[in-house]
Amino acid sequence: MSYHLKKIAISTIIPLIIILTLLSLGILIPILTMVIFGAILAYYIRFISRKIKPYVKNDTLSVFLGIIVFTIPIVLLLYFTLTQFVLIAESSFGSLQQAATGNSTMNMTVINQAVNNLNLPSNLTQSIITAVQSGINEFISFVASSLVAMISSIPSFAAQMLILIFSVFYFARDGDKVIKFITDVIPVKDNDFYQELFDSAEDVLKSIIVGNAIPAVILGVLSGILYYLLGYPYALLLAIISGIAMFIPIIGPWIVYGAIGIISILLGNTTQGILVIIFGWIIETTTDFYIRPKIAVQYSEIHPLVFLLGFIYGAVTMGIPGLFIGPLILGITYAAYKIYRKEKIKTKMS
């Protein structure tokens, strides 16, 4: 094989590889996000599997157990949150089927009483009550319709999850082979550059998980304390939802703070509603714009703004996987320019 390769001009090999790469990317583009996301998750699962391997001695089994250990807390958290949310929503607003068709059986007695207590003119009072009821019903209908649409897209979602699971498993098990393959392809003279780039990528990956998970936990704990002190029911559930909501682009936990604050004000608990909005803003701002970048940068020399832009706009463009892919791409790009600049300065000085 090597004999024949020597007789092929390099000018034909490189174009062929480029064409095949472009064709492969054309096939993989619909699932590329999940493949990259799987490779990122595999980095963390490899850390867990290495801790397990001394006890099981088998690579495949240790990776499989690592995936289970990694996913169990996430699955339990999401299951508890979603089931409690559905139960509360159904007990308050009627069945999801009714909500999806806009026929919610929501009891407006308390809200009617709260608006009547404002002693406004009767026509204005009725307009406010109608607007509030219409807005709440539309919101419930939107949420319920989204759930129905999500259920209807289960086959597509299942395919994406299958790709993610396989990507995670094989990258976690064969990650060393992938890295070895890449390093073999890299020209020898560029080894130092790419070694620094790989080291920077590893730092970025550490920063991503720390910069996402720890701030979400901190925000959830502080929010839970706030809800408890202000006397809200389901304080633990609201705290979990607030922590999870931090992964939602742009609006984040405001979907929780704002909603319960407005509802509290409408129900006549003005002080409670204003306090949860004010302190919620303080908690969210402190966590998102100070704690998150501060923690993330502890593990790399990437500028906090790069991480912030990666977290926000990565999630906007790619959804939940973008929370990991966005900072990784921007972080590696920043590191590449930084390493290149350092080498250029060395060259000028020598």
Side-chain angles (χ1 to χ4, degrees), residues 72-144:
I72 282 177
I74 300 172
V75 171
L76 290 176
L77 184 65
L78 291 176
Y79 174 78
F80 175 78
T81 303
L82 291 175
T83 53
Q84 291 297 305
F85 178 76
V86 170
L87 289 174
I88 293 171
E90 289 188 348
S91 66
S92 302
F93 305 120
S95 70
L96 291 177
Q97 288 181 337
Q98 289 175 316
T101 57
N103 297 317
S104 172
T105 58
M106 179 182 55
N107 187 350
M108 288 288 294
T109 305
V110 179
I111 293 179
N112 291 346
Q113 185 61 43
V115 176
N116 286 324
N117 289 339
L118 298 175
N119 295 321
L120 299 172
S122 58
N123 58 339
L124 182 58
T125 299
Q126 188 57 45
S127 299
I128 293 174
I129 292 173
T130 303
V132 171
Q133 184 172 17
S134 175
I136 294 176
N137 279 331
E138 286 181 11
F139 175 74
I140 297 167
S141 178
F142 168 76
V143 173

Side-chain angles (χ1 to χ4, degrees), residues 25-42:
L25 286 175
I27 295 171
L28 293 175
I29 277 175
I31 60 171
L32 195 57
T33 299
M34 282 301 173
V35 173
I36 297 173
F37 188 38
I40 293 172
L41 293 181

Side-chain angles (χ1 to χ4, degrees), residues 73-303:
I74 300 172
V75 171
L76 290 176
L77 184 65
L78 291 176
Y79 174 78
F80 175 78
T81 303
L82 291 175
T83 53
Q84 291 297 305
F85 178 76
V86 170
L87 289 174
I88 293 171
E90 289 188 348
S91 66
S92 302
F93 305 120
S95 70
L96 291 177
Q97 288 181 337
Q98 289 175 316
T101 57
N103 297 317
S104 172
T105 58
M106 179 182 55
N107 187 350
M108 288 288 294
T109 305
V110 179
I111 293 179
N112 291 346
Q113 185 61 43
V115 176
N116 286 324
N117 289 339
L118 298 175
N119 295 321
L120 299 172
S122 58
N123 58 339
L124 182 58
T125 299
Q126 188 57 45
S127 299
I128 293 174
I129 292 173
T130 303
V132 171
Q133 184 172 17
S134 175
I136 294 176
N137 279 331
E138 286 181 11
F139 175 74
I140 297 167
S141 178
F142 168 76
V143 173
S145 300
S146 299
L147 288 174
V148 172
M150 189 183 298
I151 293 171
S152 66
S153 65
I154 283 179
S156 173
F157 178 76
Q160 294 282 339
M161 287 299 100
L162 190 63
I163 292 165
L164 178 63
I165 291 169
F166 277 109
S167 298
V168 167
F169 177 78
Y170 285 112
F171 277 119
R173 193 188 68 176
D174 303 326
D176 292 334
K177 295 179 183 177
V178 174
I179 294 172
K180 179 69 166 57
F181 180 86
I182 294 173
T183 53
D184 288 341
V185 174
I186 293 171
V188 176
K189 63 179 182 178
D190 296 334
N191 277 348
D192 292 340
F193 174 85
Y194 282 100
Q195 185 58 55
E196 286 192 55
L197 199 60
F198 287 150
D199 292 341
S200 297
E202 188 170 8
D203 290 341
V204 171
L205 286 170
K206 291 176 183 176
S207 301
I208 288 171
I209 191 65
V210 174
N212 274 294
I214 293 181
V217 171
I218 292 173
L219 183 136
V221 171
L222 294 176
S223 299
I225 294 171
L226 176 64
Y227 300 139
Y228 177 78
L229 293 177
L230 292 179
Y232 282 102
Y234 307 108
L236 179 59
L237 178 61
L238 289 173
I240 293 174
I241 296 173
S242 298
I244 294 174
M246 195 172 182
F247 293 91
I248 300 175
I250 309 300
I251 54 175
W254 273 110
I255 197 172
V256 185
Y257 299 141
I260 64 176
I262 292 170
I263 291 172
S264 296
I265 292 171
L266 288 173
L267 293 177
N269 302 319
T270 307
T271 303
Q272 185 187 46
I274 292 174
L275 286 176
V276 78
I277 290 174
I278 292 174
F279 283 101
W281 176 81
I282 293 172
I283 292 171
E284 194 274 338
T285 303
T286 304
T287 307
D288 214 11
F289 292 94
Y290 179 74
I291 295 177
R292 172 183 278 178
K294 196 76 174 176
I295 292 176
V297 175
Q298 294 295 320
Y299 289 86
S300 86
E301 297 179 357
I302 307 299
H303 194 278

